[in-house]
Amino acid sequence: MEKFEKRIWLSSPTMHGDELKYMTEAFETNWMSTVGANINEVEKAVCEKLGCKNAVALSSGTAALHLAVKLAGVRPGDAVFCTDMTFAATVNPVLYEKATPVFIDTEYDTWNMDPEALEEAFERYPDTKLVVVANLYGTPAKLDEICCVAKKHGATVIEDAAESLGASYRGRQTGTFGTYNVISFNGNKIITGSTGGMLLTDDGEAADRARKWSTQSRENAPWYQHKEVGYNYRMSNVVAGVVRGQWPYLDEHIAQKKAIYERYKNGFCDLPVTMNPYQVDVMEPNFWLSCMLIDRDAMCEQHRSDGKAWYVSEHGKTCPTEILEALAGCNAEGRPIWKPMHMQPIFKGFPFVTGPQGNGVDVGADIFERGLCLPSDNKMLPSEQDGIIEIVRRCFD
Ligand SMILES: *Cc1c(COP(=O)(O)O)cnc(C)c1O
């Protein structure tokens, strides 16, 4: 296979032109700080599309998660049930507040938090009052089941919808299932502000508190008066201009990502692999990243230490390391599956709860071992994707 002349990215920003118009508007009216029309407009647009009452525009999804964890009233030492196979940003805010993450294993149906493992965790840690659930790669978790288990045990839910903006579950948009919810406009998400994120909640008082915390917790007084710790977390009106310009293209990006997913699915239909799965009748993902999982008996020997990966090449078999190296060699960007949190050095020593589904197998570790993220850039041409499919197919020779 020849090299792609132009690099094929995993997922890169796709600009449309109006971003510049709204940024210029901010510049020309001198609303260059954390107040302005772009912020107001994107907060309104998100509330309308997702069907939530309040949106607080912040500097990142991580900042939004931090404020969500604070709003949930977590105290040092409290246990918090967290999605295990996710980006570390889902969990880091739990550490900021000195709480104890308890990692809940993954299920095979959606690659998200296993509701049965969550139930098991409540049996082991019955006093837990918070669940942080993420929607991996744009596929909703089994949100009804998760919320039902949480409710039964009197726990609050934070939904990390950073990767799933525009996805829906039983007709309802993700980012609305928790008491507090988070979306992200990070550079490689489905739409971007170059950076940025939002906290979403139907609780108006909570939204007001988050707004206040995000702007250094100023009290209502003639001088800078403070009763609470504050943060510099508010979104810039310039960043909001980028989001505002991107916003009308969300559905277009989702359609492009879905086409990419379907093309991979067809291209691999006779290989011993499956795509990242979802429940067809229940959920509509945003297809942010297309991923594949290699059947167990088509896996060659693969080893991963904390910093290195290697494999033993074998006829008719392959592994994520071989495929990722083949892609990189052709100037295309793939990525391993998020390495589960319970396998991360920083989180060693925190509890990990598996469900009955894995039958004693650690599901997250299994998907990490056999899965990978494929180039999913929505500017990738069908002819280029055919090239990617060919590279992957050859790894099975
Ligand atoms: C990107 C991401 C975040 C963090 O969003 P930022 O805006 O980059 O801070 C949180 N959780 C998940 C699952 C993400 O993928």
Side-chain angles (χ1 to χ4, degrees):
M1 182 78 205
E2 291 168 60
K3 272 192 165 190
F4 294 104
E5 222 167 280
K6 213 171 77 228
R7 187 161 172 77
I8 313 281
W9 298 100
L10 183 78
S11 181
S12 70
T14 301
M15 295 294 120
H16 297 277
D18 282 352
E19 299 87 350
L20 198 56
K21 180 179 107 190
Y22 292 121
M23 287 165 78
T24 306
E25 222 170 84
F27 183 92
E28 282 172 351
T29 57
N30 204 37
W31 291 102
M32 288 297 283
S33 183
T34 51
V35 180
N38 289 334
I39 297 175
N40 300 340
E41 286 304 315
V42 291
E43 286 184 343
K44 206 171 88 196
V46 167
C47 285
E48 271 167 21
K49 159 108 186 164
L50 270 59
C52 59
K53 295 210 176 95
N54 308 278
V56 183
L58 297 168
S59 54
S60 70
T62 309
L65 278 158
H66 186 191
L67 298 189
V69 167
K70 281 179 65 87
L71 283 168
V74 164
R75 280 166 318 192
D78 284 357
V80 178
F81 295 152
C82 300
T83 291
D84 177 57
M85 196 171 77
T86 181
F87 185 37
T90 305
V91 185
N92 279 330
V94 172
L95 294 192
Y96 301 166
E97 292 304 308
K98 303 193 163 38
T100 302
V102 174
F103 298 113
I104 310 300
D105 201 6
T106 310
E107 43 102 14
Y108 287 109
D109 291 351
T110 69
W111 292 11
N112 285 303
M113 181 187 280
D114 179 355
E116 287 183 306
L118 180 64
E119 182 67 66
E120 168 75 28
F122 273 111
E123 267 147 53
R124 267 195 244 171
Y125 306 94
D127 296 336
T128 305
K129 289 284 166 272
L130 180 61
V131 177
V132 183
V133 58
N135 304 314
L136 201 78
Y137 300 134
T139 301
K142 289 178 179 165
L143 291 164
D144 275 355
E145 284 97 317
I146 301 277
C147 291
C148 178
V149 173
K151 192 171 171 191
K152 190 172 110 192
H153 295 278
T156 302
V157 172
I158 293 175
E159 189 193 354
D160 177 356
E163 299 181 0
S164 68
L165 179 60
S168 57
Y169 180 92
R170 295 194 197 280
R172 182 166 145 197
Q173 289 282 310
T174 61
T176 63
F177 286 81
T179 304
Y180 314 109
N181 309 278
V182 169
I183 57 175
S184 164
F185 302 111
N186 172 311
N188 75 2
K189 297 290 178 352
I190 190 101
I191 60 167
T192 185
S194 73
T195 181
M198 279 189 194
L199 175 86
L200 313 177
T201 178
D202 281 345
D203 179 346
E205 237 170 84
D208 289 342
R209 290 179 81 194
R211 241 180 224 113
K212 177 184 168 196
W213 289 340
S214 75
T215 49
Q216 305 289 13
S217 297
R218 282 183 67 183
E219 298 300 327
N220 208 348
W223 46 80
Y224 278 73
Q225 177 91 357
H226 301 284
K227 287 198 296 203
E228 294 177 289
V229 66
Y231 302 87
N232 182 4
Y233 276 176
R234 192 73 165 131
M235 184 184 278
S236 142
N237 193 48
V238 180
V239 165
V242 183
V243 177
R244 191 176 174 187
Q246 289 263 289
W247 186 255
Y249 297 92
L250 174 59
D251 289 338
E252 182 181 308
H253 287 196
I254 293 173
Q256 290 164 338
K257 297 273 192 181
K258 183 171 185 175
I260 290 169
Y261 179 93
E262 298 295 343
R263 246 183 259 129
Y264 276 131
K265 197 169 176 159
N266 289 330
F268 298 147
C269 64
D270 57 334
L271 291 183
V273 304
T274 47
M275 298 293 293
N276 47 330
Y278 63 99
Q279 298 179 292
V280 178
D281 299 331
V282 180
M283 49 184 68
E284 183 62 21
N286 72 4
F287 300 94
W288 174 53
L289 292 188
S290 286
C291 307
M292 58 181 267
L293 187 70
I294 302 167
D295 289 358
R296 231 176 243 123
D297 39 17
M299 278 283 291
C300 68
E301 201 180 317
Q302 175 186 242
H303 300 273
R304 281 168 168 165
S305 70
D306 267 346
K308 248 180 40 188
W310 66 100
Y311 63 95
V312 183
S313 169
E314 192 179 338
H315 178 69
K317 297 187 176 187
T318 187
C319 64
T321 304
E322 182 175 26
I323 294 173
L324 290 170
E325 283 180 11
L327 289 171
C330 296
N331 202 22
E333 185 189 23
R335 189 196 267 166
I337 299 299
W338 297 128
K339 183 174 177 176
M341 294 301 109
H342 79 277
M343 299 170 75
Q344 301 283 359
I346 180 174
F347 295 120
K348 284 254 159 71
F350 291 113
F352 169 59
V353 181
T354 52
Q357 205 182 109
N359 248 327
V361 178
D362 169 345
V363 178
D366 180 41
I367 296 174
F368 174 61
E369 189 193 352
R370 297 190 286 125
L372 69 128
C373 306
L374 295 155
S376 306
D377 198 71
N378 50 358
K379 293 172 295 310
M380 177 169 62
L381 304 170
S383 59
E384 293 172 318
Q385 195 178 348
D386 288 343
I388 301 285
I389 291 169
E390 192 49 39
I391 294 165
V392 173
R393 296 187 65 89
R394 275 186 211 172
C395 293
F396 287 88
D397 287 347

